[in-house]
Amino acid sequence: MNNYNHILAKSVENGATTLESHLESVADFAVVAARYAGMDTEVALQGALLHDIGKASVVFQKRLRSKPSPLELPFRHEIASLFFLKLVSPDLQPFMIDMIVAHHKSIYKDVSGTGIIDLENEYEEDILQFHLSDFSLWASEAIGILAELKFPGVTHETVITEEDAREAYYFALDHCRKRQKGWSQWKGLLMGADHIASAVGDFKEKVPALFADPDVSFYNRKGELYPLSLIDSDGTKKHTFVKAPTGAGKTDFLIKRCRGRIFYTLPFQASINAMYERILHDLGDHVEDIRLLHSISQLLIGEERITEKVIQDKFGASIKVLTPHQLASIAFGIRGYESVLFDLQGCDIILDEIHTYSDIMQAIVLKMIEVLNHVGCRIHVGTATIPSALEKEILEILGKEQVQYVQLSDEVLTLFNRHEIYKAEAFTDLLPVLQQAVEQEKKILIVCNRVANAQVIFEQIEELYPKTKKMLIHSRFKRGDRNRLEKELKNEYNVSPYACIVVATQVVEVSLDISFDLMITETAPIDALIQRFGRINRKRTAETIGKYKPIYIIAPPQKDPDCLPYNPKILRDSFKVLPDGGELLRETELQSLINQVYPKVEMLNIDLDAVFVDGKWRLKELWHLPKSALIEKLDIDSVVCITQEDDESGKYREADKEERILMEIPVRYSSLRWKRLKQLDIGAHPFVVPDIAYSSERGLDLAKTGAENYDTNYQIW
């Protein structure tokens, strides 16, 4: 047996994986994926073994060990891998090209300008000659590796000439230039296999069985308190639309409607964390591969589940809990969308509380539904409240005849009346209410629309009730602190027999399984408010039905800018339509209230940015777009900060990936754009905020993040 361990797929800094080992691992995963998708496993095997064989090039191996001169031509190992197409029968060569040529780069208009068509247009014959550098020296080693891997028909004596390589290159170039509009399933398969093989390393043998359908029979349970549990799943209907109050059993019903692998989407980090833990508790003994697709998931997995830390965002999970942002690439054709589509195709997609998104995100989700429906997904929508106009849009995309539509009767809905509504002009007006609730040992939840507001109110609470158990929770905490707070909220505050006060933002709004006694909340859009109300008097028993608890709503700000992040008119209309004076909020009337606030939904037209319009793809196969302006407009928490202390002490620099995640504070880039902060060049490239701007009790105070608050060691920045 020949030894090719000197030929690497990755640099020493990145693990020094040998090329032979990497190709074997990718091939193993590719065959599993092809078998699952009903694709030709032999094609998958051969494509996977060839996809990186160009890394045997002496040029590539040299560049693994030292940076190239800026004067040198670009080298793409994908192009060098194409030189070996002759090893494959002619009828399979187009599939090989799909798997090889674009598994890192778009073939055209790549953001780096190094796709195969980009390079040919820029350098013409020179680029081919450069990739053929010393071909006779390294081609035999490439063949040797393939022979060791038992590539069909290849022995150590097999020869690929420079002329064979040249012919293969031009054949591949012609293939790329003739691509039709659509997406390449073969590219998606290879990218997925490559990603997971690169991630698992020595953990490969510990990876759960990929693409296994979960056993969700647990959710066939029935209970008189959960009316949806008494409704049978209609096997003749492909999709689902469930409209029912919090606590009616929506989650159980949606999951029991699933027939294959499941992607469960929810809008907020706290809600996906809670749902992940809930499903893991319910199904963990029966379903091996349940994942949470969010960086915070690193914190929820113990050492015994170390493999899951590595593969959480890779393909093949039985159940994956995530936010729709992780799927948005399929609407805009941005990098990696083919591997996401490969993973999604034919699966069950649960969209929980779709209406809670911004207008832009709503439009993106509707476009995603179009794409998901096109690739054979079964789509299940669950909501407590939704504008009728948005509901109509969803049902038209899915086709009403294909949807099991479920809503509860007025008689049943009446049993879910839980809240008495009071209105107030300002938080200070409610201080007597707060005092009385504390004296009565009530669990109190105060919800603000903005982090800054929550921080101000929390300071007031600290002054007023120094001895009462209290918590502030919002999105701008270190992830380690945030995870601790979420667990304390659920496991301590939620079950406290004594008075406690939690001040929060929207992070508690959806699917967080807590049941408090009294809420004070700023006005939000009517649909979001109803979600918030679901955290009060949530726990239903035979004794609690017909018992009501109070919600106090603070009037919207008078100045429009102070209404952010919401539309001022929607806030004022929402406040206006709600009852007052302790009047009961009736479940049978919620739809009418919502439709008064949203008589019509002005749906954004994103077709100019979308790659799938009117049932057809607008992007050619093997292409992807560099970015999406619409996704950038969402201004989600797209960057992270760390504290000055975590930087200066060396903690962040010396930490491993999981430890760094614990230190990071997610923020919106727009919040820091003009702050002149130091930014590190390691890890997630965090911005460094002054220590004075952060505390483990209050989180990050953006007002104190300016560079002028750095201590003297940082004044040069």
Side-chain angles (χ1 to χ4, degrees):
M1 178 180 289
N2 293 280
N3 190 321
Y4 297 98
N5 289 345
H6 62 288
I7 300 177
L8 302 180
K10 295 183 179 182
S11 65
V12 173
E13 293 79 8
N14 291 312
T17 306
T18 67
L19 181 56
E20 183 177 346
S21 171
H22 176 63
L23 293 177
E24 182 178 35
S25 183
V26 175
D28 288 345
F29 285 119
V31 168
V32 170
R35 188 176 296 119
Y36 159 76
M39 299 164 71
D40 192 318
T41 55
E42 186 60 32
V43 172
L45 172 70
Q46 293 184 31
L49 292 176
L50 286 181
H51 86 284
D52 269 357
I53 196 63
K55 288 183 175 181
S57 164
V58 292
V59 176
F60 182 86
Q61 292 299 308
K62 178 183 176 182
R63 290 190 174 183
L64 277 184
R65 293 168 172 84
S66 61
K67 290 184 178 181
S69 162
L71 299 177
E72 285 188 86
L73 289 170
F75 182 88
R76 295 306 314 164
H77 66 270
E78 305 97 306
I79 291 177
S81 298
L82 291 169
F83 294 162
F84 298 86
L85 279 179
K86 190 178 179 181
L87 299 176
V88 180
S89 63
D91 59 316
L92 299 186
Q93 289 179 10
F95 306 127
M96 300 297 113
I97 297 169
D98 276 15
M99 284 188 277
I100 295 169
V101 74
H103 70 270
H104 290 298
K105 306 291 181 182
S106 173
I107 60 172
Y108 182 54
K109 291 187 177 180
D110 185 76
V111 66
S112 65
T114 53
I116 186 172
I117 294 177
D118 298 326
L119 292 173
E120 177 65 20
N121 290 346
E122 176 72 18
Y123 301 104
E124 298 180 339
E125 177 73 11
D126 289 345
I127 201 68
L128 173 58
Q129 283 303 119
F130 181 57
H131 282 75
L132 285 168
S133 298
D134 297 318
F135 185 71
S136 60
L137 292 178
W138 63 269
S140 59
E141 290 194 302
I143 290 294
I145 291 173
L146 293 174
E148 292 294 324
L149 293 171
K150 296 181 171 52
F151 192 96
V154 173
T155 68
H156 287 278
E157 287 69 43
T158 300
V159 175
I160 292 291
T161 66
E162 188 170 317
E163 186 55 39
D164 292 332
R166 183 180 296 273
E167 182 180 325
Y169 171 79
Y170 283 114
F171 176 75
L173 191 61
D174 184 60
H175 172 84
C176 290
R177 284 175 169 156
K178 291 179 179 177
R179 286 301 78 211
Q180 304 297 310
K181 291 179 179 178
W183 71 284
S184 170
Q185 196 174 14
W186 286 110
K187 177 183 174 182
L189 179 149
L190 191 282
M191 290 179 73
D194 192 19
H195 291 166
I196 194 169
S198 298
V200 298
D202 295 337
F203 297 117
K204 180 181 173 183
E205 299 305 317
K206 298 181 182 179
V207 172
L210 298 175
F211 302 107
D213 289 344
D215 176 2
V216 296
S217 57
F218 172 87
Y219 292 109
N220 290 326
R221 57 187 175 175
K222 297 182 184 297
E224 293 297 327
L225 290 174
Y226 305 98
L228 289 174
S229 72
L230 307 178
I231 298 175
D232 291 333
S233 174
D234 185 349
T236 67
K237 304 288 187 180
K238 181 178 181 181
H239 308 300
T240 314
F241 194 103
V242 178
K243 187 160 57 175
T246 298
K250 279 197 303 295
T251 296
D252 282 29
F253 190 84
L254 292 169
I255 295 179
K256 80 177 182 181
R257 282 278 295 149
C258 297
R259 304 200 292 273
R261 295 169 52 234
I262 300 169
F263 290 74
Y264 200 123
T265 74
L266 282 156
F268 302 120
Q269 176 186 309
S271 55
I272 66 170
N273 290 349
M275 185 58 68
Y276 168 78
E277 291 189 314
R278 176 177 174 180
I279 294 174
L280 193 63
H281 174 269
D282 292 344
L283 302 181
D285 292 338
H286 306 286
V287 179
E288 184 180 7
D289 194 2
I290 304 171
R291 304 184 210 165
L292 177 63
L293 184 51
H294 194 287
S295 56
I296 198 70
S297 64
Q298 305 273 3
L299 315 179
L300 298 177
I301 300 166
E303 288 303 312
E304 72 280 3
R305 301 175 69 85
I306 193 168
T307 306
E308 190 172 328
K309 293 183 181 182
V310 179
I311 67 170
Q312 56 174 321
D313 61 338
K314 307 305 185 286
F315 70 7
S318 294
I319 301 176
K320 193 177 285 188
V321 186
L322 66 166
T323 71
H325 299 98
Q326 276 99 20
L327 303 182
S329 64
I330 67 174
F332 301 109
I334 54 181
R335 184 176 179 179
Y337 86 96
E338 296 100 332
S339 61
V340 176
L341 269 181
F342 181 88
D343 199 21
L344 288 167
Q345 60 184 340
C347 291
D348 287 274
I349 317 297
I350 295 175
L351 299 170
D352 204 344
E353 305 302 351
I354 190 174
H355 60 90
T356 59
Y357 309 126
S358 66
D359 54 353
I360 295 176
M361 196 62 211
Q362 277 188 359
I364 292 172
V365 170
L366 287 175
K367 181 60 65 176
M368 285 165 43
I369 292 175
E370 285 186 60
V371 177
L372 293 168
N373 194 31
H374 177 73
V375 297
C377 294
R378 295 171 294 276
I379 298 162
H380 313 287
V381 178
T383 178
T385 54
I386 190 169
S388 295
L390 182 58
E391 176 183 319
K392 181 181 178 183
E393 291 272 352
I394 295 169
L395 293 176
E396 284 183 358
I397 295 172
L398 297 179
K400 293 180 183 179
E401 69 285 351
Q402 292 291 319
V403 177
Q404 181 177 4
Y405 186 96
V406 178
Q407 62 180 342
L408 302 178
S409 68
D410 286 355
E411 181 181 2
V412 173
L413 286 175
T414 299
L415 300 177
F416 284 84
N417 293 337
R418 290 178 265 208
H419 305 125
E420 296 169 333
I421 308 298
Y422 300 84
K423 294 178 180 178
E425 288 301 313
F427 177 70
T428 51
D429 296 340
L430 298 173
L431 293 180
V433 170
L434 191 60
Q435 176 66 34
Q436 184 181 42
V438 170
E439 292 172 356
Q440 294 175 347
E441 305 288 2
K442 301 295 186 184
K443 294 179 293 183
I444 303 154
L445 182 60
I446 303 173
V447 187
C448 301
N449 296 337
R450 302 165 78 172
V451 173
N453 294 2
Q455 289 170 327
V456 169
I457 286 182
F458 186 70
E459 288 181 6
Q460 293 178 260
I461 297 299
E462 284 187 308
E463 292 180 11
L464 291 169
Y465 302 103
K467 296 182 179 180
T468 302
K469 189 175 177 67
K470 65 188 73 65
M471 169 196 289
L472 173 65
I473 182 168
H474 53 73
S475 60
R476 294 191 197 131
F477 279 94
K478 290 183 182 182
R479 287 180 173 133
D481 289 336
R482 168 73 177 272
N483 189 54
R484 169 182 56 80
L485 290 169
E486 286 183 15
K487 289 182 176 179
E488 287 179 8
L489 174 60
K490 181 179 177 182
N491 300 327
E492 296 179 26
Y493 286 77
N494 185 47
V495 296
S496 173
Y498 304 109
C500 62
I501 304 172
V502 173
V503 182
T505 58
Q506 297 92 329
V507 299
V508 300
E509 201 164 273
V510 175
S511 290
L512 200 61
D513 194 13
I514 58 174
S515 186
F516 276 48
D517 300 314
L518 177 147
M519 175 180 284
I520 297 173
T521 177
E522 295 181 339
T523 300
I526 181 76
D527 46 334
L529 277 178
I530 293 167
Q531 287 296 320
R532 289 183 192 180
F533 298 169
R535 306 318 114 194
I536 302 299
N537 202 16
R538 178 183 178 89
K539 189 175 181 180
R540 295 181 78 242
T541 66
E543 291 73 32
T544 61
I545 293 174
K547 305 290 176 60
Y548 313 121
K549 293 190 177 181
I551 307 279
Y552 295 86
I553 305 170
I554 301 168
Q558 294 184 351
K559 297 179 181 178
D560 286 2
D562 294 337
C563 292
L564 290 173
Y566 300 118
N567 179 300
K569 183 178 186 305
I570 289 177
L571 289 193
R572 289 162 191 151
D573 287 348
S574 297
F575 187 73
K576 180 180 177 181
V577 302
L578 286 165
D580 190 12
E583 186 179 339
L584 193 64
L585 181 67
R586 302 182 186 280
E587 287 287 336
T588 54
E589 297 173 1
L590 291 187
Q591 193 64 56
S592 172
L593 300 182
I594 292 167
N595 290 341
Q596 287 178 58
V597 176
Y598 301 103
K600 59 180 181 178
V601 177
E602 299 291 344
M603 295 305 303
L604 292 178
N605 187 338
I606 62 171
D607 284 351
L608 289 177
D609 297 88
V611 294
F612 188 81
V613 177
D614 296 330
K616 297 179 181 178
W617 289 98
R618 299 171 62 202
L619 190 65
K620 288 188 177 182
E621 294 173 346
L622 309 182
W623 289 20
H624 64 248
L625 302 179
K627 61 182 180 179
S628 165
L630 280 177
I631 290 181
E632 290 180 352
K633 267 180 112 175
L634 290 173
D635 197 25
I636 55 176
D637 290 343
S638 55
V639 297
V640 295
C641 303
I642 62 170
T643 60
Q644 187 177 340
E645 194 275 332
D646 284 341
D647 176 34
E648 282 191 320
S649 65
K651 287 181 184 177
Y652 188 82
R653 191 169 294 276
E654 296 166 8
D656 61 24
K657 181 179 178 182
E658 284 74 34
E659 292 168 335
R660 286 175 175 172
I661 285 172
L662 290 169
M663 299 179 215
E664 292 167 354
I665 309 163
V667 294
R668 298 179 178 186
Y669 175 63
S670 60
S671 301
L672 302 177
R673 177 176 285 169
W674 310 114
K675 298 284 188 177
R676 298 181 295 110
L677 298 176
K678 176 181 178 180
Q679 186 175 17
L680 303 188
D681 60 357
I682 57 172
H685 298 269
F687 290 90
V688 180
V689 296
D691 287 332
I692 194 175
Y694 185 81
S695 80
S696 58
E697 292 78 32
R698 301 186 188 184
L700 181 66
D701 184 345
L702 285 174
K704 298 177 181 177
T705 54
E708 67 275 6
N709 291 316
Y710 282 145
D711 69 22
T712 53
N713 294 333
Y714 273 56
Q715 289 306 314
I716 60 171
W717 291 93

